[in-house]
Amino acid sequence: LPQPGRYKASGERRHAKKPKQSTHEVPDGLREAVKEVLSGYKARSSEKLPFYCRVCQVQFTNEDEFFQHKQTQFHKTAVAMERKATYCKLCRKQLTSPDQMKEHLA
């Protein structure tokens, strides 16, 4: 229920919060320096290649290179080590990543 005296006749609150004014001013020299640095900025996500090995953290330009990588002993060993590190013997669950395993154990 509305409390008497809490609202003005127009329906507004008596003590409405005012938007905060920014008290931090950026010097023009700094602003220009930042603009200059960022002028050649290119998002790293635009550089990502479509074929990425999450286990080995390596990127490839085409599917053939990616498939060849997956056949290497290095990749196979890394996958086996990750599987062992992400298997919960207590629950008999295979988790998908070391991060998920840490969360599972917490």
Side-chain angles (χ1 to χ4, degrees):
L1 292 171
Q3 296 176 352
R6 188 166 184 190
Y7 297 97
K8 292 184 179 180
S10 64
E12 294 180 14
R13 288 186 147 203
R14 241 185 229 184
H15 301 285
K17 290 185 179 181
K18 295 180 183 177
K20 279 190 171 182
Q21 295 286 332
S22 176
T23 57
H24 179 71
E25 294 296 323
V26 179
D28 288 335
L30 178 59
R31 186 183 317 269
E32 292 305 315
V34 170
K35 279 184 183 179
E36 184 179 329
V37 168
L38 294 178
S39 66
Y41 174 75
K42 183 177 180 185
R44 294 199 79 194
S45 59
S46 66
E47 298 171 8
K48 296 261 183 193
L49 301 174
F51 302 99
Y52 179 73
C53 177
R54 179 187 57 79
V55 177
C56 302
Q57 299 179 353
V58 181
Q59 290 181 332
F60 301 94
T61 55
N62 60 53
E63 189 176 10
D64 291 334
E65 288 178 355
F66 182 53
F67 182 75
Q68 287 174 357
H69 164 74
K70 289 173 76 173
Q71 301 305 313
T72 65
Q73 192 61 40
F74 180 85
H75 176 79
K76 290 178 181 180
T77 303
V79 168
M81 289 173 67
E82 184 183 58
R83 279 194 186 134
K84 187 175 181 181
T86 58
Y87 181 74
C88 180
K89 292 177 185 176
L90 184 63
C91 302
R92 296 184 181 186
K93 280 186 178 180
Q94 181 68 55
L95 302 161
T96 59
S97 70
D99 288 338
Q100 189 180 32
M101 181 65 165
K102 287 177 191 173
E103 192 175 301
H104 174 72
L105 294 174

